[in-house]
Amino acid sequence: MTQRHHSDLMAQLRATQKELDTDLPTPTREISAWPQPQFSDLEAYERIALAQAAGTQLGVASPFFRAMEKSEGTKAVINGKTCVNFASYDYLSLNHHAKLTQAVTTAVESQGVSVSASRLVGGQRDFHGEFEEKIARFLGTEDAVALVSGYLTNFSAIRTLVGEGDLVMVDARAHNSIYEGIRISGADHVSFPHNDWVWAADYLEENRQNYRQVLIAIEGLYSMDGDTPELQKFIDLKRKFGTWLLLDEAHSIGVLGKTGRGLCEEQRIAPDQVDIIMGTLSKSFCSCGGFLAGRAELGELIRFGAPGFVYSVGLSVPNTAAASEAFDLLISDPERVARLHTLGTQFQSLAHGLGLDTADAGPYAIQPVIIGDSLRAVWVSNALLDEGFNVLPIIAPAVPDQSARLRFFLNADHSMDDITAALETTARLIARSKTQFSRTL
Ligand SMILES: Cc1ncc(COP(=O)(O)O)c(C=O)c1O
């Protein structure tokens, strides 16, 4: 929101409030022994305030909630200046595709915007079923179910499948939606070192017999690190110990595999080897929502039992139309995926040539550049913006301070010139940040 928008809105709000105040009864003020709670007394609030104060004191502006006036393809306009954007999940560069916007317009004109009810009780539309069939066909699973948020998809699936007396083995770097789903499920959980299936196997060897059901949760392409697990090893584990395997493909469908079908395609594994394939619509598919794909019984369980499906509205008309069209575009033009692969490979060789550390990332669409200090990562990100590149930092506590990083999201339409210029500038600014901060601290 621009400054002007904000003050217009505040003025409007004050006027409305005044109007309302004249109609409202005067509140009775009872004396309470309890002080009124203040949000600012919460520890979480204090942590935020402290981090902001530290940034201000060191003269480093916050890079978060950096507002864009416009964003299209590989470019964004921020503070009136056009920059190359490396901070978007629009991996396949479809967000402004004419067919996508046309599909949304046509759908909204004929169906309205919202489906206005839970699908179970009035919100079901023909296009929901058609869309889910499309996902299942694309992935090679028996069924797929779409929910209104990717976050809610993990959360609800885990809550539905496991509970007290069960165990979830989860990769230490898995997404928060998985961890929160585990928490609410009441199942025990063990977080294993990142990608370490040997550790997980040892743990299961000793503890499997203590649990009824066990679920192993991993991701196809890790969003902070840009690396992938050895899927076959986790499949072997699930077979040996009789567990389920959930594969979160939020960042890998549309990105991994020759035709974008995700980690199974990338590592040549039949999708029916994985019990639960989870995906989001907010990344390669330029929409909002999530889905679960797998066997027909999984679909039934989710449709009749998952809280985020049963007690939430069905996927909206424009969100379904956009995602459905994006699937069609991906299917008809897998060349976009090939371009992303090429860019990932070239990014890495260029970065390494400049002495930049991309840690364990593979040659894919997510590329971290390790800075090793949260404050310097923020400074470099701000300085990059000044030079025309929007790259966001990932800092403590999201990652340990010593692995604070910049995270580049690649998009099929980035040019090698964009990437070369961004990486050369990054290398120069990292070197500058070291001298700058040895003086400041
Ligand atoms: C691995 C992973 N899973 C799930 C989600 C949640 O998806 P959404 O943002 O579409 O709600 C994200 C979001 O970034 C993610 O990175």
Side-chain angles (χ1 to χ4, degrees), residues 226-246:
D227 63 343
T228 54
E230 286 180 84
L231 185 55
Q232 188 59 54
K233 298 294 184 192
F234 285 98
I235 289 172
D236 294 345
L237 260 193
K238 78 158 222 110
R239 286 225 192 90
K240 179 169 179 192
F241 293 102
T243 82
W244 287 315
L245 178 63
L246 182 153

Side-chain angles (χ1 to χ4, degrees), residues 206-325:
E206 284 206 3
N207 298 283
R208 175 64 185 94
Q209 74 279 6
N210 300 328
Y211 295 98
R212 199 177 37 177
Q213 305 292 354
V214 176
L215 171 70
I216 301 173
I218 58 174
E219 291 182 21
L221 179 62
Y222 283 88
S223 61
M224 298 291 169
D225 301 86
D227 63 343
T228 54
E230 286 180 84
L231 185 55
Q232 188 59 54
K233 298 294 184 192
F234 285 98
I235 289 172
D236 294 345
L237 260 193
K238 78 158 222 110
R239 286 225 192 90
K240 179 169 179 192
F241 293 102
T243 82
W244 287 315
L245 178 63
L246 182 153
L247 176 63
D248 176 334
E249 297 248 48
H251 293 272
S252 37
I253 294 182
V255 170
L256 295 185
K258 197 158 178 266
T259 61
R261 283 169 164 78
L263 188 65
C264 291
E265 186 184 22
E266 178 79 15
Q267 299 189 353
R268 295 168 194 279
I269 289 167
D272 65 359
Q273 301 298 298
V274 177
D275 302 284
I276 308 135
I277 297 179
M278 178 272 173
T280 66
L281 304 179
S282 64
K283 300 182 170 58
S284 294
F285 302 107
C286 301
S287 179
C288 182
F291 60 84
L292 295 160
R295 283 189 275 284
E297 306 90 291
L298 173 72
E300 291 295 281
L301 268 170
I302 300 301
R303 286 193 184 89
F304 286 95
F309 185 89
V310 173
Y311 299 103
S312 195
V313 70
L315 200 64
S316 76
V317 176
N319 281 325
T320 315
S324 183
E325 186 62 34

Side-chain angles (χ1 to χ4, degrees), residues 4 22 37 56 88 126 247 264 327 332 390 410 423 425:
R4 193 172 58 75
T22 53
T56 309
S88 162
D126 283 346
L247 176 63
C264 291
F327 266 96
S332 64
N390 188 40
L410 304 181
L423 284 175
T425 311

Side-chain angles (χ1 to χ4, degrees), residues 101-406:
T101 46
Q102 186 56 54
V104 170
T105 309
T106 309
V108 169
E109 278 170 3
S110 77
Q111 307 266 358
V113 177
S114 173
V115 301
S116 307
S118 160
R119 286 173 57 187
L120 206 65
V121 286
Q124 181 78 12
R125 299 284 184 276
D126 283 346
F127 62 72
H128 284 133
E130 289 158 14
F131 177 52
E132 290 172 340
E133 266 178 51
K134 187 179 289 185
I135 300 174
R137 232 179 304 123
F138 177 75
L139 291 176
T141 57
E142 283 178 13
D143 194 6
V145 189
L147 292 89
V148 288
S149 133
Y151 191 99
L152 195 67
T153 300
N154 272 334
F155 186 88
S156 293
I158 295 169
R159 164 79 176 77
T160 307
L161 296 174
V162 292
E164 239 173 82
D166 298 331
L167 170 71
V168 185
M169 302 273 309
V170 55
D171 189 285
R173 300 203 192 151
H175 192 255
N176 176 272
S177 53
I178 296 180
Y179 277 93
E180 290 299 320
I182 297 168
R183 237 156 45 121
I184 203 77
S185 77
D188 281 355
H189 93 266
V190 170
S191 127
F192 58 84
H194 185 46
N195 283 335
D196 195 342
W197 56 269
V198 178
W199 194 102
D202 290 346
Y203 189 88
L204 284 169
E205 197 73 65
E206 284 206 3
N207 298 283
R208 175 64 185 94
Q209 74 279 6
N210 300 328
Y211 295 98
R212 199 177 37 177
Q213 305 292 354
V214 176
L215 171 70
I216 301 173
I218 58 174
E219 291 182 21
L221 179 62
Y222 283 88
S223 61
M224 298 291 169
D225 301 86
D227 63 343
T228 54
E230 286 180 84
L231 185 55
Q232 188 59 54
K233 298 294 184 192
F234 285 98
I235 289 172
D236 294 345
L237 260 193
K238 78 158 222 110
R239 286 225 192 90
K240 179 169 179 192
F241 293 102
T243 82
W244 287 315
L245 178 63
L246 182 153
L247 176 63
D248 176 334
E249 297 248 48
H251 293 272
S252 37
I253 294 182
V255 170
L256 295 185
K258 197 158 178 266
T259 61
R261 283 169 164 78
L263 188 65
C264 291
E265 186 184 22
E266 178 79 15
Q267 299 189 353
R268 295 168 194 279
I269 289 167
D272 65 359
Q273 301 298 298
V274 177
D275 302 284
I276 308 135
I277 297 179
M278 178 272 173
T280 66
L281 304 179
S282 64
K283 300 182 170 58
S284 294
F285 302 107
C286 301
S287 179
C288 182
F291 60 84
L292 295 160
R295 283 189 275 284
E297 306 90 291
L298 173 72
E300 291 295 281
L301 268 170
I302 300 301
R303 286 193 184 89
F304 286 95
F309 185 89
V310 173
Y311 299 103
S312 195
V313 70
L315 200 64
S316 76
V317 176
N319 281 325
T320 315
S324 183
E325 186 62 34
F327 266 96
D328 289 345
L329 288 167
L330 167 59
I331 293 163
S332 64
D333 184 12
E335 181 52 31
R336 287 173 188 273
V337 185
R339 281 212 302 277
L340 256 185
H341 287 189
T342 306
L343 289 176
T345 307
Q346 292 178 336
F347 183 104
Q348 290 219 314
S349 80
L350 205 65
H352 298 160
L354 288 162
L356 298 174
D357 175 9
T358 59
D360 294 327
Y364 309 120
I366 300 174
Q367 294 294 331
V369 169
I370 307 297
I371 308 278
D373 174 277
S374 294
L375 197 62
R376 282 201 301 113
V378 172
W379 184 88
V380 174
S381 165
N382 289 342
L384 271 168
L385 184 64
D386 289 342
E387 302 216 17
F389 305 99
N390 188 40
V391 187
L392 271 289
I394 306 290
I395 60 175
V399 293
D401 192 51
Q402 65 275 19
S403 71
R405 63 200 59 190
L406 296 170

